[in-house]
Amino acid sequence: MKLGIVGLPNVGKSTLFNALTKAGAEAANYPFCTIDPNIGVVIVPDVRLAELAEVYNPTKITPATIEFVDIAGLVRGASKGEGLGNQFLSHIREVDAIVHVVRCFDDDNVVHVDGHADPARDVETINIELSLGDLDIVTRRRDKAQKLIKAADKNAVWETEVLTQLMAHLDNGGSANSFEADDKVQRLLDSMPLLSGKPTIYAANLDEEGYQNPEANAHFNALQAIADQENAKLLPVCAKLEAELSTLADGERLEFMNELGIAQSGLDRLIAAGYDLLGYISFLTAGAPEVRAWTITNGTLAPQAAGKIHTDMERGFIRAEVVSYDDFVKIGSIAAARDAGILRSEGKGYVMRDGDIVNFLFNI
């Protein structure tokens, strides 16, 4: 899974990125601190891997990972070359979802590019720039379709009409997400790397006081209304606090979180929100060589899941031996699961479930 981090300059993007990835990206109290895009890969926490490792004592444990991409802050006019962020939009066009960091606190000591925090205005600024940034891609695709009309391509006529309407929609500040689309139109939209069509998680960056009680924060409530309207995820975070937590050892971090009454770190909650938003689940493979988690979309069939491991396994798929993680923990081993009759033999039509422990049988 890849998540792209966007937002205005100096709203806490790089501070949050540092805390999530411990990548050491520069973070300072002035606009345009991030010059080059920062990329960090983090491990998806999964206690199930540790449990399986206790049983198999594997040579290698491979968790699922998430890649975060942090680019320079976008400003009003970025699509026309203002600021620095527009130079790096291409770096996040292939991400699965966008994490839009929005400042939800007031502090005269922390510079805001527009003078003060205003979530509605700040979100509108970014969303308009993403839409206008998409306009160039849609225009080039429309021009290509127009040329195909001359070659008597019937679909090109329809595509040209749809893309022309989309261009007008984007030019007026609308997003690809808000463009009215049936299944056929949606497939066309999905074929283009449109930033304004990405699923979005709004990360409300609060100060420590606001983080303790987000619902009492007017900025947070304003952002909640926007997220509800867009059917987007909203996640309260405190980038400053997450930065402090990231410097602590595991035991100290847990103790500090308990003192603050925090059950999960921002990273854990962001990963959970990303999985939920994108409909991702994990299946597991286990043995002495390796215990590993594999990320797939909910609804993936067994052969396609096998293909995540190797294309030959999908091509030569015979069946999958499956036991749920919960059943495995209760019974203790694959052999015991087989003896108890809870190790299932599933065919090509089996829909994978989160926590399935699988052995794929194949022949090529």
Side-chain angles (χ1 to χ4, degrees), residues 6 21-22 59 66 100 133 145 158 185-186 208 301 311 327 355 362:
V6 303
T21 66
K22 299 182 182 179
T59 303
I66 291 182
H100 184 164
W158 169 83
V185 172
Q186 190 59 52
E208 293 187 42
L301 298 178
T311 54
D327 286 342
F362 67 103

Side-chain angles (χ1 to χ4, degrees), residues 48 52 55-56 282-287 292 302 319-347 350-360:
R48 298 174 299 192
L52 290 174
V55 174
Y56 288 99
S282 294
F283 73 89
L284 312 168
T285 53
R292 182 163 181 166
R319 68 179 187 275
E321 294 180 334
V322 184
V323 61
S324 73
Y325 169 78
D326 291 338
D327 286 342
F328 179 88
V329 170
K330 292 175 184 176
I331 206 159
S333 71
I334 292 294
R338 182 178 285 107
D339 292 341
I342 59 175
L343 181 69
R344 310 187 308 275
S345 180
E346 303 287 1
Y350 176 68
V351 178
M352 300 291 292
R353 302 171 186 169
D354 186 59
D356 277 345
I357 301 172
V358 191
N359 176 42
F360 294 109

Side-chain angles (χ1 to χ4, degrees), residues 28-79:
N29 182 21
Y30 57 89
F32 307 125
C33 173
T34 303
I35 303 300
D36 297 316
N38 298 304
I39 298 175
V41 178
V42 301
I43 290 172
V44 176
D46 194 334
V47 297
R48 298 174 299 192
L49 294 178
E51 293 284 349
L52 290 174
E54 287 289 327
V55 174
Y56 288 99
N57 191 27
T59 303
K60 185 178 182 182
I61 301 175
T62 307
T65 59
I66 291 182
E67 182 177 294
F68 287 96
V69 183
D70 172 38
I71 67 168
L74 298 168
V75 295
R76 190 174 291 106
S79 58

